[in-house]
Amino acid sequence: MTTVITTENAPQAIGPYIQGAQAGNFIFTSGQLPINPQTGSIPECAEGQTRQSLENIQAIIEAGGLTVDNICKMTIFVKDLNEFAAINNAYAEFFTQRNASLPARSCVEVSRLPKDVKVEIEAVAWQG
């Protein structure tokens, strides 16, 4: 059985999908765009977009009763791998500030993302 996870602290879905789902001990987030849920704004730089997407993921994971330390796998979709260093800086800073373990990760370049953002991130968290 799957339980839908929703929170006002992450942007609402812009299509026919949900923010997150809990299945057993796992939480799966949908890809999170770097949209500030309070203002609807999107940071211009890849580093700021990475931070916002990660904060949105954190809100969904916490709404499901877990923390970022429970994240075991992330996938990052980027529009331009030339911004890989900036994305990595924001990513490392996010986990360091929360004293959380780094999860496994994939990072792939894609030709285009919704709303023409530079970054979209999805996560899988597990409570064992």
Side-chain angles (χ1 to χ4, degrees), residues 31-84:
Q32 291 302 298
L33 298 176
I35 301 169
N36 181 303
Q38 282 75 42
T39 66
S41 65
I42 297 172
E44 289 189 29
C45 66
E47 200 165 354
Q49 289 193 14
T50 301
R51 273 190 218 97
Q52 185 63 62
S53 291
L54 289 168
E55 289 171 7
N56 294 342
I57 286 170
Q58 180 178 2
I60 295 165
I61 297 294
E62 289 178 351
L66 301 181
T67 70
V68 294
D69 208 33
N70 293 103
I71 297 172
C72 56
K73 174 69 168 86
M74 298 192 95
T75 304
I76 303 176
F77 304 95
V78 299
K79 194 170 177 180
D80 184 355
L81 274 176
N82 289 318
E83 299 191 275
F84 190 67

